[in-house]
Amino acid sequence: MPLDSLLKLLWLAVIFITLSGVAMGRLPGLAMNRATICLVGATVLVLTGAISRASAYQAIDMDTIVLLLAMMVINVHLRHAGFFQWAARWTLSQSMAPPGILAGLMLVSGLLSALFLNDTVVLALTPLVVAVARGAGLPPVPFLMGLAVSANIGSVATIIGNPQNMLIGIASGISYQRFLAVLAPVALGGVVIAWCVLALLYRQAWQSPARPVKTDPVAAPPSAPCTTMPPRQNLLRKSLVATMLLLFSLLAGVPVALAALGAAALLLITRHMPPEQVFREMDWGLLVFFASLFVVTGAVESIGLSGWLLHALGVEHHLDIPSLTITGAILSNLVSNVPAVLLLRPVVVQAPAPEMAWLTLAMATTFAGNLTLLGSVANLIVAESARTQGVLLSFRAYLVAGVPITLLTLIWGDIWLIFL
């Protein structure tokens, strides 16, 4: 067999293994996560000539990397200030029936996830939700489901809500204001739909009255490593000021990455919080994952595989909103949402209405994450964190609610975008 053919087979094998590992989050028999799988795959593709080193560097979108880095800095400060825990505990301590508590939790989770990375929100709130539900004599699973799905749904509202939105916002050039104006109603309607589904599914579990919950706004469950501290007032004020400046900058039209970096830089001017502590708690693996994934998808385009894949999916000639929604949702559950966005990028830029195509892709790839427990990192964080608290959120339990929520929210998103 000619050398060229052998190389192409090698490239196909490396890309297939890499994307499969990203979808599963691991490779059988190996202690590797998504970041290391992607980094090794990207390295092999560069070493074997699938993509040149110069092209690999050019494939990495530094604005996206900078935006992720800056948002991590902001989130670490808000978490240490106790902001996420305070907001959730205040919501959960209100005297309401269980469906009302669920509604309040989902609204807060959705709002926080629109302003900050949804993964950070669920990481901070899951132990608190479990503790408060137990304290009220209520089953934790419905509230964990509400937390997970609303974090995913709420994150669709803004460019900074989740990693795939960041990627789409940078690649498309859509302003923060435009993104918010189009997709905030989609997020709000999606949270309402998800609440209706959960309230209906779990109505039998809420027949017994809930016990009163202690309303101490700063107390937190002892098992939660990041929630044991009361809010630090000075740090909280400074973090909220930086966040407000970020939002004002975004609404004023400042480039997203630059606005986020400015807010992060303000927080790093400090007398109290050691920078080592900030950097230690940042998710460097996510940055490695993104940078490596840019290289892998660059190689996919370089060897012509993206064109074949898009042709196989039949999306090349069907760039309307329903077709893009279906393709984005399917691809997100096959290879995960961020790779799906990168793989669909070449065809979206050629759409007759590229802005609406990008917004459709943001909606579809985000809502598709609610289909199964493995559909998004936020889901896995909720399940794993709950497991450490002795609560099982099973694949089947998630699927029962995830399927109708995903289908109904995707339909709602399509109706809204087609109406626009």
Side-chain angles (χ1 to χ4, degrees), residues 294-320:
F294 277 125
V295 176
V296 172
T297 54
V300 169
E301 293 182 31
S302 176
I303 66 177
L305 185 59
S306 60
W308 175 87
L309 177 63
L310 296 174
H311 179 73
L313 291 170
V315 73
E316 286 177 306
H317 307 295
H318 300 86
L319 297 176
D320 55 286

Side-chain angles (χ1 to χ4, degrees), residues 24 41 78 80 100 104 116 120 148 181 222 245 248 271 294 318 330 335-336 343 353 359 407:
M24 295 186 295
L78 283 168
H80 272 275
F116 312 101
T120 299
L245 288 175
F248 284 136
R271 293 180 300 170
F294 277 125
H318 300 86
I330 292 174
V335 298
S336 192
L343 290 171
L359 293 169
L407 294 178

Side-chain angles (χ1 to χ4, degrees), residues 52 67 90 126 182 199 232 261 300 324 330 340 342 346 419:
S52 68
L67 178 55
W90 181 86
T126 301
V182 175
R232 298 161 60 179
L261 191 60
V300 169
L324 275 176
I330 292 174
L342 288 172
F419 169 76

